[in-house]
Amino acid sequence: MTEQQPQSHPESQRFERGTDGPKVIVAGVDGSDSSLRAAAYAGGLARRQNALLALVYVQPVMSAGAALGAPVADTTGEIAEGLVAEIRAAAERVRGIWDVRWEFHTFRGDPYSGLVTAADELKADAVVVGASESAGHRIIGSVAVRLVKAGRWPVTVVP
């Protein structure tokens, strides 16, 4: 009797989200205290799960009329650079104690759409965001609530 080898099916080669714990954890950062706490929390998750921590800053896109000549792209670029510097400094402080694989990504758009795009493109298994610190979220809904309602990834909201 000969032993048959299992056949490889195309379905077995496709991406499978979260089957053995998270491999990629996306954390939205915007410089707010709650987003930095979310990044720290996500860093701990990534370290314990040996996952990649993808820190994502979504640069807002404003119409030319709304910008009124202000250098919005320069300002948001400076925010991104400042966040990277802050994250690198934090990573350096814990080097040798905590090792976390991390990347920094910048996407453009509104925070919700940018995080959805980031999570899709990076094949995220989980998304971590800070609780909204804005009163405006009561009208259009917070990014966190909208991500949860999308139902595409486990979402952790850090206060």
Side-chain angles (χ1 to χ4, degrees):
M1 186 161 155
T2 61
E3 187 176 314
Q4 291 185 344
Q5 295 294 322
Q7 300 250 326
S8 176
H9 296 289
E11 303 88 45
S12 67
Q13 301 302 319
R14 63 188 187 136
F15 172 65
E16 201 171 358
R17 179 173 279 125
T19 56
D20 295 324
K23 298 287 185 239
V24 177
I25 299 170
V26 165
V29 292
D30 62 7
S32 67
D33 288 344
S34 67
S35 81
L36 296 176
R37 285 191 298 269
Y41 182 85
L45 289 175
R47 180 184 54 80
R48 290 186 295 279
Q49 295 291 330
N50 195 29
L52 173 66
L53 172 61
L55 298 162
V56 174
Y57 170 62
V58 180
Q59 286 185 299
V61 177
M62 295 184 166
S63 69
L68 297 174
V72 174
D74 291 345
T75 302
T76 60
E78 289 171 16
I79 292 170
E81 289 172 17
L83 286 169
V84 170
E86 196 168 334
I87 292 161
R88 282 187 211 273
E92 200 57 42
R93 283 193 299 271
V94 296
R95 182 183 292 272
I97 302 168
W98 313 96
D99 285 325
V100 176
R101 294 179 302 125
W102 64 277
E103 300 173 347
F104 184 85
H105 299 270
T106 300
F107 288 80
R108 293 176 80 67
D110 68 274
Y112 170 76
S113 298
L115 286 172
V116 166
T117 300
D120 284 343
E121 287 185 14
L122 299 170
K123 293 186 165 63
D125 296 300
V127 178
V128 180
V129 293
S132 175
E133 295 180 355
S134 153
H137 76 266
R138 290 184 184 91
I139 298 166
I140 59 169
S142 72
V143 171
V145 168
R146 293 172 67 196
L147 288 167
V148 169
K149 285 183 178 180
R152 294 165 57 186
W153 324 267
V155 177
T156 302
V157 182
V158 177

